[in-house]
Amino acid sequence: NAGVTQTPKFQVLKTGQSMTLQCAQDMNHEYMSWYRQDPGMGLRLIHYSVGAGITDQGEVPNGYNVSRSTTEDFPLRLLSAAPSQTSVYFCASSLGQADQPQHFGDGTRLSIL
Amino acid sequence: KNEVEQSPQNLTAQEGEFITINCSYSVGISALHWLQQHPGGGIVSLFMLSSGKKKHGRLIATINIQEKHSSLHITASHPRDSAVYICAVAADSARQLTFGSGTQLTVLP
């Protein structure tokens, strides 16, 4: 049982480049979310989805897009990378919403030069 | 917006000591999560609770809804418990989690 799989684990981009962080889960979870983790701060919610076809913004959505075409996949797109987006990104999923046990991916460490 | 405060930010203990990490939040919640993040970076869910107390092995989590406060206790601490412990709360709407900034625990042999 793979759980939540994030790819890539590491990525270096140049300012202005675009890329997609992949997140997939095999637990048939409806709720999926993307967070960023920065030094000295708690995880902050970027975008979340309560089911296929439904997405919503979190606390820090600017510069990121998401889509949820299937229950399993929830990719995060950086449209035009900026140094301020250097961070560690985590994808999480749960059976219901935020009041259910959360399952996290291993994270993607992203550096923007 | 719910504010989540954890204390202490850093904690160093000797192996075998009893450890307590505290979490306070500002508005009503539907659930509170305790998470563990090891130096490798992965995040693991330890507990989810909305009332009372839960125990798993040497870990105990309690919550006081009236006081908006939760504690995570580790009995007979061990160097492998060294990690960052994170508190997160789900608001009454349960759509989003708000995270504390974490407590870095180091247990020395």
Side-chain angles (χ1 to χ4, degrees):
Chain A
N1 193 345
V4 179
T5 302
Q6 283 185 242
T7 57
K9 292 192 186 308
F10 303 94
Q11 184 72 47
V12 179
L13 293 177
K14 294 182 179 178
T15 297
Q17 287 185 314
S18 62
M19 80 160 294
T20 299
L21 279 62
Q22 301 291 345
C23 176
Q25 53 89 11
D26 61 0
M27 297 172 281
N28 202 33
H29 285 171
E30 290 295 326
Y31 185 88
M32 296 185 73
S33 50
W34 276 104
Y35 298 94
R36 58 178 290 172
Q37 185 178 41
D38 300 297
M41 303 180 73
L43 282 85
R44 291 181 293 167
L45 182 65
I46 304 171
H47 286 284
Y48 67 99
S49 169
V50 297
I54 306 169
T55 63
D56 206 348
Q57 295 182 351
E59 182 184 354
V60 288
N62 293 339
Y64 307 94
N65 271 356
V66 292
S67 60
R68 185 94 180 269
S69 56
T70 67
T71 299
E72 294 77 21
D73 299 299
F74 190 43
L76 178 72
R77 298 183 187 85
L78 279 70
L79 308 172
S80 177
S84 61
Q85 293 177 304
T86 293
S87 189
V88 182
Y89 291 84
F90 287 94
C91 177
S93 75
S94 62
L95 193 60
Q97 298 189 61
D99 59 351
Q100 297 292 319
Q102 302 290 304
H103 300 258
F104 287 83
D106 290 336
T108 295
R109 188 173 296 273
L110 182 63
S111 295
I112 315 295
L113 304 177
Chain B
K1 183 177 182 295
N2 215 339
E3 301 292 332
V4 180
E5 298 288 335
Q6 283 186 239
S7 63
Q9 287 188 326
N10 295 282
L11 180 57
T12 299
Q14 291 295 135
E15 184 173 356
E17 285 186 2
F18 181 85
I19 288 162
T20 296
I21 299 170
N22 296 300
C23 175
S24 297
Y25 53 92
S26 57
V27 299
I29 64 170
S30 59
L32 182 142
H33 301 256
W34 280 105
L35 310 167
Q36 181 190 56
Q37 185 172 27
H38 273 285
I43 299 173
V44 175
S45 178
L46 297 175
F47 294 103
M48 188 196 71
L49 62 168
S50 55
S51 64
K53 175 179 171 178
K54 287 191 175 181
K55 183 175 188 290
H56 184 255
R58 296 178 294 105
L59 273 62
I60 304 166
T62 64
I63 188 168
N64 185 319
I65 296 296
Q66 287 73 30
E67 294 186 3
K68 295 185 175 59
H69 180 269
S70 175
S71 293
L72 177 67
H73 305 286
I74 304 175
T75 61
S77 59
H78 189 277
R80 65 175 175 266
D81 297 325
S82 297
V84 175
Y85 292 83
I86 301 169
C87 171
V89 300
D92 283 336
S93 67
R95 289 214 154 206
Q96 299 186 22
L97 284 174
T98 303
F99 292 78
S101 56
T103 295
Q104 173 70 61
L105 171 66
T106 303
V107 182
L108 302 175

